[in-house]
Amino acid sequence: MSDLPFVSVVVPCWNEAPFVAEFLDSVMKQTYPADRLEILLVDGMSDDGTRDVVRRYAVRHPSLRMLDNPGHRKPEALNLGIREAKGEFIIRLDVHAFYEDDYLRKCVSALRDHPEADNVGGIRKSLPRKDTLLGRALALATTHPLAAGNAKYRVGASKPQWVDTVFGGCWRREVFDRIGYFDEKLTRAQDREFNQRLRAAGGRVLLIPDIVCTYYARSGWRDYGAWIFEAGYWPFRASRLVGRWIGGWRNFVPVAFVAGSAAGLALAPRSVVLRRLTGAGLLTYGSAVLAASAHLAWRKRDPGLLAAMPVAFVLTHTVYGVGSVWGIVSPLPAPVVEDAPLTEGDVRIGDGPLTRRQIATIARMHRDGVTEGFLSTLGEPALRLLYRHVATSRHCKVFVALAPDGETVGYIAGCRDTSALFREFALRRWASAARVLLPRLLSPARIRRAAETLRYPSAAPAGLPKAEVINIVVQPAWRGRGIAEQLLSRLMDWFAQQGDTAVKAVSGDQLTRAHRFYEKSGARLEGHTSVHRGVGSRVYVYSVDRS
């Protein structure tokens, strides 16, 4: 067994308490040697008990590690896990599936036996999450050619064959060095985009039929409808975002059906020809649906499917098609203003107007670098909105550290009066704030913490300066080079120009790295306070040199 490659299993996860134990059981029963294996479960800061389950398993299984993904988006989780992985081979697994005991061994063997393959995967069977008639019908629809088209990993295959994509995947690590990582712009369809990019670079994707896992399909109208809408939306949306088509012909069939049927029905009263064509098309479609439903009902010995399968097929095609239409016509984000590249020299500090790209980078750095803070839990869109305002407010200043290639590798934000900043934000950004923040505040705990954040500037202990260092973050790969010190020096110069004589910095008790920085950079510990109930913070104060 010593000649077996070391394998890293990367598992994106977020709020999977009902499934994670069964999933981990199936992974821990794998026949691949435990000493040649690491399991990296990248969790999006789950709050439903998932993390407690994973911790219990990690105590019993040293090969299992949980990594934090504050943004909880899947492509970011995959990239975090891949960068952390030590394995020669990397295998992606999803929590909503159960894997046969030899799944990992077969993946590794297939990749070793087919050196011409860059990604291998297998067949994904489908079972309902709830064993109801509707649940069974929806699960069957996801694996039937009438709904899944020619997606071989869904409908099955009798022999190995080259395909456009597979479920999950098993790669040699060098693949990521060669073509890059998963595209973090894509909430879904990142696997399609990656495999399309791989094939465009000359790589090949191989499906092996005897590599099998079982996926638990959504069993309710609402859950399934939301899932299938996104399944139709993202191939088109993602293609527009990356600037090239990443799907296959099967993605066009539902949108053609929905658009053609809608147009035919709308124009039918004005044209006998269109009325007949539309009627013939719908009759043909209905006949195909009834024939497929009857065949499944007979094959599964389940008469109820004769009534349920037509509903499942029509729901799948219609909602998928509507999602595709929206993916085609929905507005794209405003174009990003690219930063002018630097050609020579060390990191420099910039204070000019921030570009959209810089704002987005700062928001991600805050989210990933200040994981204990309340603002990070609101997500990247909320942080982008906040920093857009901070960067343009007369009360604030933001300095960024730029690498030679123009990449933003650090930032510092300061404010002369955070109470005034919040009032200004409420007046100028109320419409955007309502749209972005309200969906993220739908819990009493979050509402309370938001109120505490807004109340703190005026409720802070008396005697503290109004001026404040809001935040300072340097990307991990650039720490230890004096960048934070340069940023702080520039911000203090700005405070001095504004006439401030002292500046405070408030940092949670658990942020030991921040405490070391403040103490080392000349701040004095003024005392302790509590921004949020039950969470202690330390207050540091800088004296501003106005000479």
Side-chain angles (χ1 to χ4, degrees):
M1 291 186 182
S2 60
D3 66 331
L4 289 175
F6 191 79
V7 172
S8 296
V9 176
V10 176
V11 186
C13 177
W14 182 53
N15 281 353
E16 299 285 7
F19 302 96
V20 69
E22 184 179 6
F23 163 77
L24 289 172
D25 284 338
S26 74
V27 175
M28 298 310 170
K29 291 177 182 177
Q30 292 293 309
T31 59
Y32 202 83
D35 63 344
R36 305 299 297 161
L37 183 68
E38 67 172 352
I39 303 155
L40 305 175
L41 189 142
V42 190
D43 181 70
M45 314 309 292
S46 298
D47 56 10
D48 67 340
T50 297
R51 294 172 70 85
D52 294 332
V53 175
V54 177
R55 289 189 187 102
R56 289 198 297 270
Y57 274 79
V59 170
R60 303 195 304 270
H61 303 280
S63 60
L64 172 64
R65 279 197 295 148
M66 181 166 61
L67 307 178
D68 289 343
N69 173 30
H72 77 239
R73 297 174 72 250
K74 190 170 288 186
E76 294 166 0
L78 291 167
N79 291 343
L80 282 169
I82 293 165
R83 290 188 176 102
E84 185 73 13
K86 301 173 183 175
E88 177 186 347
F89 286 12
I90 294 173
I91 300 177
R92 171 189 170 176
L93 302 182
D94 281 351
V95 176
H96 278 267
F98 181 86
Y99 298 85
E100 294 188 356
D101 294 353
D102 55 358
Y103 185 91
L104 298 182
R105 184 182 288 276
K106 285 183 176 180
C107 284
V108 172
S109 296
L111 203 55
R112 298 180 84 186
D113 293 342
H114 296 85
E116 72 278 20
D118 296 274
N119 181 13
V120 300
I123 301 298
R124 189 191 76 178
K125 295 180 178 179
S126 188
L127 288 177
R129 296 183 186 179
K130 296 180 180 178
D131 189 18
T132 62
L133 178 60
L134 174 63
R136 295 193 298 275
L138 295 176
L140 286 169
T142 64
T143 59
H144 193 279
L146 188 59
N150 67 337
K152 296 298 182 182
Y153 74 89
R154 291 189 182 188
V155 302
S158 59
K159 60 183 180 180
Q161 55 187 277
W162 302 107
V163 293
D164 58 351
T165 192
V166 291
F167 178 71
C170 175
W171 308 267
R172 297 177 186 85
R173 185 181 187 87
E174 61 88 19
V175 167
F176 300 98
D177 299 330
R178 191 169 85 237
I179 70 164
Y181 293 80
F182 289 92
D183 194 322
E184 295 186 0
K185 296 191 299 291
L186 309 181
T187 302
R188 284 185 61 174
Q190 65 281 151
D191 49 350
R192 284 172 176 258
E193 189 279 332
F194 183 88
N195 283 320
Q196 193 274 345
R197 185 163 22 110
L198 176 63
R199 291 186 294 114
R204 306 183 77 183
V205 182
L206 181 64
L207 181 132
I208 305 292
D210 62 346
I211 299 175
V212 178
C213 71
T214 301
Y215 174 78
Y216 292 101
R218 291 158 177 82
S219 298
W221 294 112
R222 185 171 298 177
D223 288 347
Y224 183 81
W227 176 76
I228 205 67
F229 179 89
E230 290 203 350
Y233 171 83
W234 271 106
F236 294 90
R237 177 73 169 186
S239 296
R240 295 170 63 203
L241 286 171
V242 302
R244 66 183 189 280
W245 176 241
I246 67 169
W249 65 263
R250 61 180 176 269
N251 302 111
F252 284 100
V253 175
V255 69
F257 167 71
V258 168
S261 299
L265 291 172
L267 298 175
R270 302 183 180 183
S271 170
V272 174
V273 174
L274 282 177
R275 193 156 55 242
R276 290 175 177 174
L277 287 174
T278 303
L282 291 176
L283 180 62
T284 301
Y285 170 74
S287 299
V289 165
L290 289 174
S293 301
H295 179 259
L296 284 170
W298 175 81
R299 183 160 60 88
K300 296 293 182 180
R301 302 295 188 266
D302 188 347
L305 292 177
L306 191 59
M309 285 309 307
V311 176
F313 281 130
V314 172
L315 174 69
T316 299
H317 296 144
T318 304
V319 177
Y320 189 105
V322 170
S324 299
V325 171
W326 184 237
I328 294 169
V329 304
S330 60
L332 289 176
V336 173
V337 179
E338 296 293 336
D339 302 321
L342 304 179
T343 56
E344 298 287 345
D346 298 326
V347 168
R348 70 173 174 86
I349 308 301
D351 66 344
L354 299 186
T355 65
R356 289 178 180 271
R357 178 179 177 180
Q358 288 174 324
I359 292 291
T361 301
I362 288 171
R364 286 195 296 271
M365 291 171 65
H366 183 133
R367 182 200 64 197
D368 297 340
V370 195
T371 56
E372 298 85 353
F374 167 65
L375 291 176
S376 297
T377 68
L378 297 178
E380 188 179 326
L383 290 168
R384 285 201 303 268
L385 177 63
L386 173 63
Y387 279 107
R388 275 201 300 272
H389 183 71
V390 168
T392 57
S393 171
R394 63 188 177 88
H395 302 290
C396 302
K397 191 67 175 178
V398 180
F399 292 93
V400 292
L402 300 173
D405 64 355
E407 178 190 3
T408 301
V409 297
Y411 77 92
I412 191 169
C415 184
R416 300 194 67 208
D417 186 341
T418 47
S419 293
L421 172 68
F422 288 156
R423 289 195 297 271
E424 183 185 67
F425 180 82
L427 289 172
R428 289 176 51 187
R429 307 275 183 175
W430 64 270
S432 298
R435 174 175 54 83
V436 174
L437 296 178
L438 285 180
R440 293 166 172 81
L441 294 174
L442 298 179
S443 75
R446 284 196 168 186
I447 293 173
R448 174 176 59 79
R449 295 194 74 187
E452 291 169 345
T453 301
L454 294 173
R455 187 175 63 245
Y456 178 74
S458 58
L464 291 177
K466 284 187 176 181
E468 181 173 357
V469 177
I470 297 175
N471 205 3
I472 178 170
V473 178
V474 175
Q475 290 188 7
W478 291 82
R479 292 172 187 163
R481 306 187 189 189
I483 296 173
E485 288 79 2
Q486 293 181 58
L487 289 167
L488 180 64
S489 175
R490 291 292 298 273
L491 183 63
M492 290 302 161
D493 288 345
W494 179 79
F495 277 126
Q497 294 167 10
Q498 308 308 308
D500 295 298
T501 59
V503 178
K504 68 177 180 287
V506 181
S507 181
D509 284 340
Q510 72 277 26
L511 300 177
T512 55
R513 188 173 69 238
H515 302 322
R516 288 196 299 269
F517 172 76
Y518 290 137
E519 292 164 0
K520 183 180 178 181
S521 58
R524 68 179 184 274
L525 180 61
E526 192 72 15
H528 290 76
T529 186
S530 180
V531 178
H532 300 292
R533 188 170 62 195
V535 180
S537 296
R538 301 183 191 183
V539 182
Y540 295 88
V541 173
Y542 289 96
S543 296
V544 178
D545 183 2
R546 300 178 63 186
S547 58

